Amino acid sequence: MAEQTSPAMPRGRSVWSLLLAATAPNPGALHLPVVGGEQLDEPCSRDFLALAFRHRLPGLAMAGLAELDVRLTPSAAADLRTAALRDAMMVTRLTARMFTLLDAFAAAGIPARVLKGPPVAALAYAGGAGLRHLRDIDLLVPERWFEPAHRIILGQGFRTLLDIGRLTVAELPRFAHELPYVDEAGCIVELHAARSAHGRGGGQADGFDGDAGSMLPVTGRDVPVDPPAEIFVHLCRHGASHAWTLLKWLADISHLIAAAPDVLDWDVIAARTRRSASQRHVGLALALARDLHGVTPPAALAEFIDTLPPGLAQGLAAGLSDPGKGGPTPIQMARLEVVLASGLGAKAAAIRDFVFAPTIQDARDWPLPRGLLWAARPALYVLRRRRAPA
């Protein structure tokens, strides 16, 4: 017997479309509300829940459903509320830990900035931090302050989540751009010496590329962050570095665009995009936001979409609707980074970073001088894959 579904909401693609609408800046533009509301049956409710959890969007999805007057079954609605409440509680705990660490850094004279999560929530969701899932706090410090910042984090009750083996903490930024920590409550903090793996080991003396930074109110308190233009471009690069496997990241882009011009200057962002050779990274984010969330690209940035290879955005979007899809492989991420790199020099650098740049795992597993690690890295990569369990 064929599976019974709600006439108004067939399963599969339509459930995915509902999640896209619920997490878009303007839900009603993508999903026309039904007079008197819409009740999903149990299979559709569970499909929606699986997609919302897979993309880490319980709070935003719940708010969007309420705006559309779409109701899940009671059990599914309870599970969604529980997940949204859990996210909100974690945001509260992480924010409190962020303030404590920033105070400790300031007392020690360590310059620091908060990346991604809290600043994005403040800019894109009008301070509604509970709408955005937050897994950790990312703190950026200049490389020369990395070891002192590490000691302060340990002193605040955190332990490292990464085995660095024989390496010292001061050496770590030469092989990895971040070091993660966790405390007894499960709060995760990542200490960054660079914004991404492509910037490790070669940062400016001040660690912030010479810009002045900004102060942004987060839950009623000003915190040091990157300039808004850098925040937007970094989000585009971050999503691309993970092959845009989570709709959560795209929701940030879509809601930031919708929040402008109150929080962003697109001409400044366009200049920052060109200066950092991020045209294709930004173009890809804009194309995905347009195709999935119905967001009109800002005129100052629209030309970057034309730099994309045909079908790239559509191919990435197609994989998002699978609730069981895992993350991208290192090969997939490296291939996308090469595709998005602008110019032969940037493509060569992306290939170099993937093929030759030794990782912290290389440095930990093979006690070789750094120069030999660079030379041996391709062979070590193949050797590790052959040793990996099937």
Side-chain angles (χ1 to χ4, degrees):
M1 179 181 292
E3 190 174 27
Q4 296 297 312
T5 60
S6 166
M9 180 55 61
R11 296 183 69 188
R13 184 67 183 173
S14 293
V15 176
W16 171 241
S17 298
L18 178 59
L19 180 65
L20 292 178
T23 57
N26 183 9
L30 296 181
H31 186 90
L32 187 64
V34 175
V35 176
E38 187 175 357
Q39 176 66 58
L40 302 190
D41 63 12
E42 183 66 27
C44 287
S45 294
R46 288 296 159 185
D47 284 352
F48 183 90
L49 207 61
L51 283 168
F53 288 171
R54 179 246 193 267
H55 290 284
R56 303 175 193 171
L57 286 164
L60 195 59
M62 188 171 69
L65 287 182
E67 185 172 339
L68 294 168
D69 200 9
V70 174
R71 296 181 293 277
L72 304 177
T73 59
S75 61
D79 288 346
L80 188 61
R81 283 195 303 272
T82 298
L85 178 60
R86 187 183 303 118
D87 271 6
M89 293 173 64
M90 178 55 74
V91 167
T92 300
R93 288 198 295 268
L94 284 168
T95 302
R97 292 300 261 158
M98 174 185 71
F99 290 152
T100 299
L101 289 171
L102 288 174
D103 287 342
F105 287 172
I110 300 176
R113 291 185 191 172
V114 182
L115 302 178
K116 294 185 294 187
V120 173
L123 291 172
Y125 304 102
L131 295 178
R132 190 187 190 277
H133 169 92
L134 192 61
R135 187 187 72 92
D136 54 34
I137 295 293
D138 297 272
L139 299 173
L140 173 68
V141 299
E143 186 175 325
R144 64 190 180 92
W145 289 103
F146 194 85
E147 188 172 18
H150 164 78
R151 292 196 298 267
I152 286 176
I153 293 175
L154 294 182
Q156 292 294 328
F158 288 86
R159 59 177 175 83
T160 58
L161 279 172
L162 183 65
D163 175 18
I164 64 175
R166 65 186 178 86
L167 291 175
T168 66
V169 173
E171 292 176 308
L172 184 134
R174 299 164 65 190
F175 300 96
H177 71 290
E178 63 186 12
L179 182 60
Y181 308 79
V182 66
D183 68 5
E184 292 183 353
C187 294
I188 297 175
V189 168
E190 292 185 350
L191 181 64
H192 289 248
R195 293 181 184 87
S196 70
H198 295 287
R200 69 173 185 248
Q204 301 290 327
D206 64 359
F208 300 137
D209 300 329
D211 63 64
S214 300
M215 298 297 290
L216 182 70
V218 174
T219 61
R221 172 175 167 176
D222 285 349
V223 299
V225 300
D226 280 333
E230 176 59 44
I231 291 175
F232 186 86
V233 174
H234 176 59
L235 284 177
C236 295
R237 295 193 67 101
H238 176 262
S241 72
H242 294 279
W244 289 105
T245 53
L246 288 180
L247 185 63
K248 179 186 86 164
W249 298 326
L250 184 61
D252 291 341
I253 296 295
S254 297
H255 282 261
L256 276 172
I257 294 173
D262 295 335
V263 299
L264 297 173
D265 184 322
W266 296 121
D267 290 327
V268 174
I269 289 175
R272 173 63 187 169
T273 299
R274 295 187 182 93
R275 189 165 63 250
S276 60
S278 302
Q279 292 94 322
R280 290 186 175 181
H281 301 82
V282 171
L284 179 57
L286 296 176
L288 289 169
R290 177 198 62 195
D291 296 347
L292 296 179
H293 278 151
V295 174
T296 301
L301 308 182
E303 66 182 81
F304 299 142
I305 297 178
D306 298 332
T307 66
L308 297 176
L312 177 61
Q314 292 80 356
L316 291 174
L320 286 171
S321 61
D322 180 2
K325 183 178 176 61
T329 66
I331 292 290
Q332 290 172 327
M333 291 188 290
R335 184 183 300 121
L336 181 59
E337 192 59 45
V338 172
V339 168
L340 295 179
S342 300
L344 293 178
K347 290 183 183 297
I351 295 173
R352 177 206 64 199
D353 285 347
F354 177 73
V355 176
F356 293 104
T359 66
I360 190 170
Q361 188 176 7
D362 296 325
R364 186 182 63 216
D365 294 348
W366 289 289
L368 299 172
R370 190 164 184 257
L372 288 180
L373 275 177
W374 272 84
R377 209 294 168 137
L380 298 179
Y381 180 86
V382 172
L383 180 61
R384 180 179 291 119
R385 291 300 176 271
R386 289 182 176 176
R387 288 180 176 177

